Amino acid sequence: MTKIGIVVGSTREGRAGRSVGEWVLSKTSNRDVEYEIVDIKDYDLPFIGTTENQENVIKWNEKLNSLDGFVFVVAEYNHSITGALKNALDSAREAWNNKAAGIVSYGSAGGARAAEHLRGILSELQIASVRSHILLSLFDDFKNFSEFNPRSIHDDNLNQLFDQVESWSMALSSLRGDENE
Ligand SMILES: Cc1cc2nc3c(=O)[nH]c(=O)nc-3n(C[C@H](O)[C@H](O)[C@H](O)COP(=O)(O)O)c2cc1C
């Protein structure tokens, strides 16, 4: 069975990221593949290279190894991705390779600038990012710029994103040599 991780990319207290991730998950109930939330905050990853204790980094890599593709939930911080997401991306290598991903971003301009930065990073990690992209506006999809309140206009686009991530994740499984082919 193909498994897709919904990677929640922000970790701060009071973040909107977890609600956005849960919304993405709620839209997957009619899909034929498995989706799960993979919350970076749950792994408490050390900043790369700062400790010899690699227990959480190993757990992180094991989780990524169990997944075929990803939907990244991306907050825009200073026109880029969060430091927490960059550190989580840097904390694995082979476990990312030859997989597919879609991006759900949010910010005042829909998180577009962070999403485009992320695409460059994903190509270095050999993750193929699909065209469909959900841009959530802090003005229109949040109340008071903080409480997530998405418009239903995103639903069709989100389904297209799932179609693309699923088909590319399955197509790339021949390169991964998975037993899930
Ligand atoms: C350090 C920081 C920098 C931010 N920079 C931007 C930015 O450059 N562009 C933008 O649209 N929003 C920016 N924001 C607003 C965030 O997009 C908004 O707070 C969002 O809810 C953050 O995601 P989170 O709640 O999951 O942490 C910034 C927020 C923080 C905390």
Side-chain angles (χ1 to χ4, degrees):
M1 169 70 100
T2 299
K3 285 191 191 157
I4 310 289
I6 298 165
V7 180
V8 175
S10 62
T11 54
R12 70 179 181 94
E13 286 302 314
R15 67 193 168 145
R18 180 81 195 198
S19 307
V20 178
E22 279 165 8
W23 170 74
V24 173
L25 182 65
S26 75
K27 303 292 179 186
T28 64
S29 50
N30 61 344
R31 310 294 308 183
D32 293 331
V33 312
E34 252 177 60
Y35 284 79
E36 66 178 90
I37 293 209
V38 179
D39 192 340
I40 289 173
K41 194 176 175 79
D42 292 341
Y43 289 81
D44 199 17
L45 290 167
F47 189 64
I48 187 168
T50 55
T51 171
E52 284 179 8
N53 180 354
Q54 293 296 292
E55 198 183 328
N56 291 355
V57 177
I58 290 166
K59 281 189 195 144
W60 176 240
N61 277 260
E62 284 169 353
K63 173 49 72 183
L64 299 179
N65 274 327
S66 75
L67 298 164
D68 301 291
F70 309 98
V71 177
F72 287 98
V73 172
V74 177
E76 183 168 300
Y77 284 11
N78 295 315
H79 289 198
S80 189
I81 62 171
T82 65
L85 178 56
K86 182 62 166 62
N87 189 51
L89 288 159
D90 293 342
S91 297
R93 199 171 49 175
E94 286 83 359
W96 292 118
N97 293 172
N98 298 318
K99 295 180 180 176
I103 300 173
V104 173
S105 60
Y106 52 102
S108 57
R113 296 161 293 217
E116 292 307 313
H117 274 186
L118 178 61
R119 284 188 195 276
I121 298 164
L122 296 185
S123 50
E124 176 59 16
L125 289 169
Q126 299 218 83
I127 300 174
S129 64
V130 303
R131 177 178 179 277
S132 283
H133 170 196
I134 312 299
L135 295 122
L136 301 165
S137 160
L138 288 184
F139 298 98
D140 300 319
D141 296 302
F142 289 77
K143 284 184 192 157
N144 303 320
F145 302 100
S146 57
E147 190 190 328
F148 187 46
N149 184 32
R151 290 166 295 164
S152 59
I153 55 159
H154 298 295
D155 292 1
D156 284 350
N157 209 7
L158 197 50
N159 259 318
Q160 271 178 25
L161 181 146
F162 294 145
D163 286 344
Q164 293 174 6
V165 172
E166 289 171 21
S167 59
W168 279 19
S169 295
M170 287 183 223
L172 287 167
S173 71
S174 60
L175 292 179
R176 297 194 299 275
D178 294 348
E179 65 280 3
N180 320 341
E181 275 176 61

